[in-house]
Amino acid sequence: DSGVTQTPKHLITATGQRVTLRCSPRSGDLSVYWYQQSLDQGLQFLIQYYNGEERAKGNILERFSAQQFPDLHSELNLSSLELGDSALYFCASSVATGGFSTEAFFGQGTRLTVV
Amino acid sequence: GESVGLHLPTLSVQEGDNSIINCAYSNSASDYFIWYKQESGKGPQFIIDIRSNMDKRQGQRVTVLLNKTVKHLSLQIAATQPGDSAVYFCAEPYYGGSQGNLIFGKGTKLSVKP
């Protein structure tokens, strides 16, 4: 158990809908990272938050957004869903925002299926 | 093209044998690499990392080798066990040093035959 909790584990929704994925980082971790894992694109970094503020952006679509709350949990919002958004979404957390060997710990993921 | 990539998508080894998983990278300025293991139904898990000022780093049953001349790194697993069956990814940070903002390779699936 990495200590990172993601809910829900599975989510099935229709095209055009909006969903929210939730992540609780490890106790004491200030950074949260979101990743998408699909068969064709592999694991892709989406976005990072550090202590409530956006810190880095990767390959995140404009239809997707995220935030980190004062209690440090984070939510990833996916809207106007398309079939191609079906994927595993992982959250990871780390103590700091950078530095060599600042290990990031991954949650078990949310499997999103868009039908 | 992708910055970090893998030579082989699948690798099958006999239990007890050594495994070697390879990874190529394209950016000669890359200075930090990480190997992750992802078991079925789980998130990636850190195995070992290496900085570009090193050629080799050893962990428990794992060794990472870095050849900066040909921009290649490998993960060696000694005495492979069934529990090593997983997908292995090499990764490097988008931004120097951080393990969180990572560019992952495609992954190699390691299957261990009993």
Side-chain angles (χ1 to χ4, degrees):
Chain A
D1 184 5
S2 66
V4 178
T5 303
Q6 290 188 247
T7 57
K9 284 188 169 47
H10 301 276
L11 194 51
I12 302 176
T13 189
T15 55
Q17 294 298 305
R18 172 190 170 94
V19 298
T20 298
L21 312 183
R22 181 189 170 102
C23 169
S24 295
R26 293 189 323 152
S27 177
D29 284 359
L30 298 178
S31 272
V32 170
Y33 313 83
W34 285 97
Y35 283 82
Q36 180 193 60
Q37 185 174 35
S38 62
L39 284 175
D40 56 343
Q41 295 293 326
L43 259 168
Q44 292 201 90
F45 166 67
L46 297 178
I47 196 165
Q48 176 201 358
Y49 277 81
Y50 175 76
N51 203 19
E53 295 188 0
E54 182 183 307
R55 184 57 63 102
K57 261 185 175 180
N59 299 321
I60 189 166
L61 300 172
E62 287 191 9
R63 300 184 285 110
F64 297 178
S65 64
Q67 54 184 329
Q68 187 179 28
F69 295 87
D71 66 353
L72 301 177
H73 91 271
S74 178
E75 293 181 355
L76 179 67
N77 300 298
L78 314 176
S79 61
S80 302
L81 285 167
E82 303 174 359
L83 295 178
D85 297 327
S86 296
L88 268 168
Y89 291 85
F90 287 103
C91 167
S93 74
S94 67
V95 171
T97 187
F100 292 110
S101 300
T102 304
E103 184 175 345
F105 295 85
F106 283 77
Q108 298 216 355
T110 293
R111 181 173 292 280
L112 173 66
T113 302
V114 182
V115 297
Chain B
E2 192 170 346
S3 175
V4 181
L6 288 160
H7 291 310
L8 297 171
T10 60
L11 177 65
S12 183
V13 300
Q14 204 70 38
E15 181 178 359
D17 288 351
N18 296 334
S19 302
I20 300 176
I21 300 170
N22 297 303
C23 182
Y25 62 95
S26 57
N27 184 359
S28 58
S30 298
D31 59 1
Y32 181 53
F33 302 92
I34 310 132
W35 282 98
Y36 276 86
K37 171 187 181 182
Q38 185 176 21
E39 296 176 272
S40 181
K42 296 186 178 180
Q45 180 182 13
F46 171 86
I47 302 174
I48 192 167
D49 58 358
I50 189 167
R51 292 180 62 175
S52 60
N53 61 354
M54 305 170 71
D55 296 325
K56 179 180 180 178
R57 191 167 188 214
Q58 288 184 295
Q60 188 177 16
R61 282 201 307 116
V62 295
T63 301
V64 56
L65 299 177
L66 177 61
N67 185 331
K68 293 179 286 292
T69 303
V70 295
K71 292 183 281 189
H72 179 271
L73 66 158
S74 65
L75 176 71
Q76 300 179 1
I77 305 173
T80 313
Q81 302 169 0
D84 295 326
S85 294
V87 178
Y88 290 81
F89 297 93
C90 61
E92 62 173 315
Y94 269 93
Y95 310 106
S98 171
Q99 279 200 29
N101 311 324
L102 298 169
I103 303 171
F104 280 87
K106 290 288 187 193
T108 291
K109 183 176 182 179
L110 175 65
S111 297
V112 182
K113 296 176 287 187

